[in-house]
Amino acid sequence: MKKYEFLYRLEKALSSMDESDRNAAMRYYEEYFEDAGAENEQKVIEELGTPEELAKTIMNDADEACCRKNENADSHNEVQCGDFVDMDLPAFKSIQGKMVNSALQIERGDAYGMEWSCDNPLAKLEYRICDGTLYYQEKITPKKKSGVNLFNSNGGRLIVYLPSETFDNIAVKNVNGSIRIEDLMADTLAAGTVNGSVTVSASSFEKTIMESVNGSISGVKMTTNEFKGKTVNGSIKVDGTFNGNVNMSTVNGSIRVTTSLGENEYNYKLSTWGSIRINDKKVGLDNLIGRGDASINNGAPREMNISAVHGSVKIATAQ
């Protein structure tokens, strides 16, 4: 691995951080490499570990430093399973959170608040607010049986209520549970889960990332510039206004896109083992191994890059 690849992967892994903090971290490690000299590049990379591991350390350190700095002013709470409501949270502009077995829902409310319902006695929710960011994490205490740690998979639901404001960065992850986001405005949304669906409705973002491994992705009445949707076992279905590049991929599932822009407002790179249709018209040529591909250059300022391995692709545009 070369220095530039290392720094590229590091910046990508830090994408959920506040921009100013991310830029400061990148400047530090760029100077770190420069000070070490080109002859010590590989030694520095071995010392730092993988970019992804380093990114986790940076973000954890930033989180802890933030909370130490704001120890008197910020909330820091821990809640065991049961029914819990806190509708008097301090204001915040960003969210970073992870649930294990609980579903997540973000919706409009009159104030900043949270509601968690869970009947798993091994689960607890930790949350705090630091420098305008809500941090939360669901933790599961393993129970032992015959000397082996076992996790209880009983899930619950976390609802985060947000007033009518425009937020900065929303970065949320689930392991076993769906994510549903309604009526939200933010600069960046990054929502991903392993086992569950990701659904966004009536929301507006500059950049949108929606990912799942085993579950569908759905967007209804969205407005976004850059859009990325990715799943392995599930379909993708979105509609709205997509003002920038659109990238979508699935292995086992179909992809459906409805956009308010015209057909010639995009260039297209489309591939699938099934059929490809734009405004109900089949496009592209089937090659010898049965795969459908279509590459259309309209000289447009934006691109749709869509791949469905075992499925079909259907695009509907404004006429």
Side-chain angles (χ1 to χ4, degrees), residues 236-242 246 248 255-266 268 270 276-281 283 304 306 312-319:
I236 301 176
K237 184 177 182 180
V238 296
D239 72 71
T241 301
F242 303 94
V246 175
M248 301 183 190
I255 295 180
R256 302 286 184 266
V257 184
T258 301
T259 174
S260 63
L261 275 65
E263 180 177 340
N264 292 332
E265 293 295 321
Y266 301 92
Y268 300 90
L270 314 172
I276 300 174
R277 294 183 179 273
I278 300 179
N279 294 323
D280 291 327
K281 179 181 178 181
V283 299
M304 280 197 187
I306 296 176
S312 60
V313 174
K314 185 174 183 181
I315 301 170
T317 71
Q319 301 297 313

Side-chain angles (χ1 to χ4, degrees), residues 181 184 189 198-205 207-210 217-228 237-243 248 258-260:
I181 297 171
L184 175 64
L189 170 69
V198 181
T199 303
V200 174
S201 62
S203 297
S204 177
F205 311 103
K207 180 178 181 180
T208 306
I209 301 173
M210 300 167 62
I217 292 173
S218 175
V220 181
K221 295 181 179 179
M222 295 181 60
T223 299
T224 186
N225 288 333
E226 182 180 350
F227 179 87
K228 178 182 178 181
K237 184 177 182 180
V238 296
D239 72 71
T241 301
F242 303 94
N243 292 312
M248 301 183 190
T258 301
T259 174
S260 63

Side-chain angles (χ1 to χ4, degrees), residues 16 27 38 42 59 82 89 99 102-103 136 140-141 164 171 176 182 204 225 247 255 260 264 274 278 280 289 308:
S16 62
R27 284 195 301 270
Q42 290 304 313
M59 290 188 288
L89 294 177
M99 304 305 289
S102 291
Y136 68 79
I140 310 295
T141 302
S164 180
N176 300 308
E182 302 175 0
S204 177
N225 288 333
N247 293 276
I255 295 180
S260 63
N264 292 332
I278 300 179
D280 291 327
I289 60 173

Side-chain angles (χ1 to χ4, degrees), residues 44-89:
V44 170
I45 291 175
E46 292 175 3
E47 173 191 327
L48 295 176
T50 70
E52 291 73 23
E53 290 171 345
L54 178 59
K56 290 180 181 179
T57 301
I58 293 171
M59 290 188 288
N60 288 338
D61 289 347
D63 188 2
E64 292 174 4
C66 167
C67 290
R68 288 196 299 269
K69 182 175 67 176
N70 295 279
E71 185 176 5
N72 295 325
D74 297 335
S75 61
H76 188 177
N77 302 278
E78 180 177 300
V79 183
Q80 297 296 330
C81 72
D83 293 326
F84 157 78
V85 178
D86 185 347
M87 295 303 296
D88 193 27
L89 294 177

